[in-house]
Amino acid sequence: MKDTTLGLYSTHDLREAARRRLPHGLFEFMDRGNDDDVAMHHNRAALESVKLVPRVLVDVSKRSQEITLLGKKQKMPIIVAPTGSAGLAWYEGEIALARAAAAYGIPFTLASGSMTKLERVAAEAGGTLWMQFYMWPDRSLSHHLIARARDAGFEALVFTVDTPVAPGREYNLRNGFTIPFRFTRRNVTDVLMHPRWLIGTLGRYLVTTGMPRYENFPPNTQTRITALPMGRSTALNNTLTWDDVRQLRKLWPGKLIVKGIQHPRDAVLAADCGADAVVLSNHGGRVLDASGATIHALPRVVEAVKKRITVIVDSGFRRGSDVVKALALGADAVMVGRAPLHGTASAGEAGALRALQIYRDEIDRVLALIGCTSVAELGPEYVEMPR
Ligand SMILES: Cc1cc2nc3c(=O)[nH]c(=O)nc-3n(C[C@H](O)[C@H](O)[C@H](O)COP(=O)(O)O)c2cc1C
């Protein structure tokens, strides 16, 4: 029988396998935070400081981690987060990752900055698809993208609102991992020293469709990753307000999710503007290094929205126990970013499947160990917050 473990037993193993296969600059681009990586490490430290309090002598012989999220049943309480670079991690990595999510019965979120056309992901992966986007300064271009996602059958729109300006990521500058990509002696040597990625990923693009490009950007701005900076029309937008959410509510018939809120008041505003869900997120510690851990903010956000909208949380969730902690504190589901991305980077679809298998097995084990047979039974009484 085929060994589906790939010899990788935790999400930390997936990260290490990705580190070995990817050029150093690309690995840092995918793995690190911003500034001093404080928020990224704090996410982990905070999750580790929250404890679970088990109940015993409960018959846990039959367990399920199924949930109903935004009106739809799913087999696990996690969602694959949008990570713009899955298609750089592996040849057509977005399709690999989306297929893995479909196999595990969970939603996959495609990032607008991905390398594979959204229509192809829909046609070749299926499953429950969510579309993430940043609102471009020329809003009509974003609205066009949204219409494409609707026509391709994407069920939810994820509007990321936490990046009005580019984050401080000095490591990308040092590595030459900028937009446009700059060829330097350092990064060319880096790429040559990672032949598995060079041949298996970059090489496959070069002999098929050419240098990877932002396939979901409007045709006239669809630059190769090595091309000149994109024009103003598709840069980050620092003029956005809650009116944009109200307008999206009118435009988008499916589920509307606002990603990147941290303040309880913003969660309430999202509900007021007609959003169906928020993602409580500090972008995995990649945007504001002084931001707090989402597991600490979660109880306040849950209390503020009073079940008016769905609360999804992300940033730092590497273990099944982390996911269970968030669910017990009132989250409806958890998004996971780097771990499935590392899985994809290490072994394509098999690696993405392995990442989700690890979460599934760990969630299942932790539920049993704390005396719960379903997610519905979880509540704050299972959690001890740090004093
Ligand atoms: C390499 C990388 C690229 C990302 N790209 C996007 C993106 O394009 N849009 C977005 O909303 N979030 C993006 N994110 C953030 C994730 O959606 C998610 O919030 C974060 O990864 C969660 O933290 P975790 O990686 O610790 O699980 C990205 C994250 C990573 C690691």
Side-chain angles (χ1 to χ4, degrees):
M1 221 171 77
K2 214 171 140 210
D3 176 17
T4 56
T5 71
L6 310 173
L8 305 167
Y9 299 100
S10 70
T11 64
H12 306 299
D13 290 350
L14 297 174
R15 176 177 182 272
E16 186 49 29
R19 194 186 61 74
R20 285 196 302 268
R21 183 175 167 276
L22 297 177
H24 175 73
L26 181 56
F27 177 72
E28 286 214 314
F29 171 77
M30 288 182 189
D31 189 63
R32 287 192 60 178
N34 77 108
D35 286 357
D36 298 312
D37 291 344
V38 172
M40 187 178 78
H41 292 302
H42 184 59
N43 286 337
R44 288 298 313 142
L47 277 162
E48 285 169 13
S49 73
V50 173
K51 304 297 173 192
L52 290 169
V53 187
R55 299 297 312 272
V56 295
L57 296 177
V58 180
D59 178 355
V60 290
S61 55
K62 292 192 187 68
R63 301 184 295 278
S64 160
Q65 51 182 281
E66 196 175 270
I67 59 164
T68 300
L69 190 70
L70 297 169
K72 193 170 176 183
K73 277 209 166 76
Q74 59 178 71
K75 288 191 189 146
M76 291 168 66
I78 62 172
I79 299 145
V80 175
T83 52
S85 44
L88 289 178
W90 193 266
Y91 178 69
E92 299 188 340
E94 294 94 356
I95 294 177
L97 196 41
R99 280 193 180 140
Y104 274 83
I106 61 168
F108 167 77
T109 316
L110 182 70
S112 54
S114 53
M115 309 292 142
T116 307
K117 269 199 169 40
L118 64 92
E119 289 83 359
R120 281 198 56 213
V121 176
E124 294 181 37
T128 302
L129 296 174
W130 295 3
M131 183 76 212
Q132 177 274 339
F133 80 108
Y134 294 100
M135 184 76 79
W136 292 317
D138 181 346
R139 287 170 170 75
S140 68
L141 296 178
S142 294
H143 295 166
H144 177 71
L145 176 77
I146 292 165
R148 278 176 58 196
R150 184 198 58 213
D151 294 347
F154 282 68
E155 295 176 29
L157 186 66
V158 179
F159 177 30
T160 304
V161 295
D162 57 11
T163 318
V165 296
R169 297 184 188 154
E170 296 143 22
Y171 53 90
N172 284 338
L173 303 178
R174 251 175 241 121
N175 295 329
F177 259 82
T178 47
I179 300 172
F181 184 85
R182 270 187 310 113
F183 289 101
T184 63
R185 193 183 345 196
R186 180 175 165 151
N187 62 31
V188 169
T189 312
D190 183 15
V191 167
L192 290 175
M193 282 169 63
H194 293 86
R196 285 192 294 156
W197 182 83
L198 173 61
I199 296 164
T201 302
L202 186 61
R204 279 186 77 184
Y205 280 118
L206 293 179
V207 298
T208 53
T209 46
M211 193 57 97
R213 57 179 74 228
Y214 299 104
E215 292 281 356
N216 293 302
F217 281 23
N220 57 338
T221 56
Q222 216 176 73
T223 46
R224 296 185 306 277
I225 55 167
T226 47
L228 287 169
M230 294 158 290
R232 277 285 305 151
S233 56
T234 51
L236 289 168
N237 187 341
N238 56 17
T239 68
L240 300 174
T241 68
W242 289 101
D243 280 340
D244 286 285
V245 180
R246 285 189 202 95
Q247 198 188 0
L248 284 172
R249 182 64 291 172
K250 288 189 198 131
L251 277 174
W252 177 258
K255 301 293 179 189
L256 178 62
I257 302 170
V258 179
K259 177 172 182 283
I261 69 105
Q262 296 184 56
H263 200 293
R265 182 80 197 117
D266 282 345
V268 173
L269 283 170
D272 292 346
C273 294
D276 298 289
V278 286
V279 185
L280 166 55
S281 169
N282 65 18
H283 217 112
R286 288 168 67 83
V287 170
L288 173 68
D289 211 24
S291 55
T294 52
I295 195 75
H296 285 161
L298 179 61
R300 287 193 297 276
V301 169
V302 168
E303 202 197 314
V305 301
K306 300 197 184 339
K307 295 198 186 304
R308 286 174 64 207
I309 52 172
T310 296
V311 177
I312 298 166
V313 64
D314 79 12
S315 299
F317 291 76
R318 299 283 182 279
R319 286 279 181 191
S321 56
D322 299 331
V323 175
V324 171
K325 288 170 188 175
L327 298 171
L329 287 171
D332 294 291
V334 173
M335 267 190 176
V336 288
R338 289 184 187 80
L341 185 62
H342 288 149
T344 309
S346 57
E349 188 174 336
L353 286 165
R354 181 61 181 140
L356 301 182
Q357 188 181 47
I358 288 170
Y359 279 108
R360 187 200 58 198
D361 293 352
E362 289 186 359
I363 292 167
D364 181 59
R365 183 164 60 237
V366 172
L367 283 177
L369 287 171
I370 65 169
C372 278
T373 60
S374 73
V375 170
E377 289 167 26
L378 289 167
E381 66 276 15
Y382 287 93
V383 179
E384 186 187 306
M385 293 301 270
R387 279 181 253 271

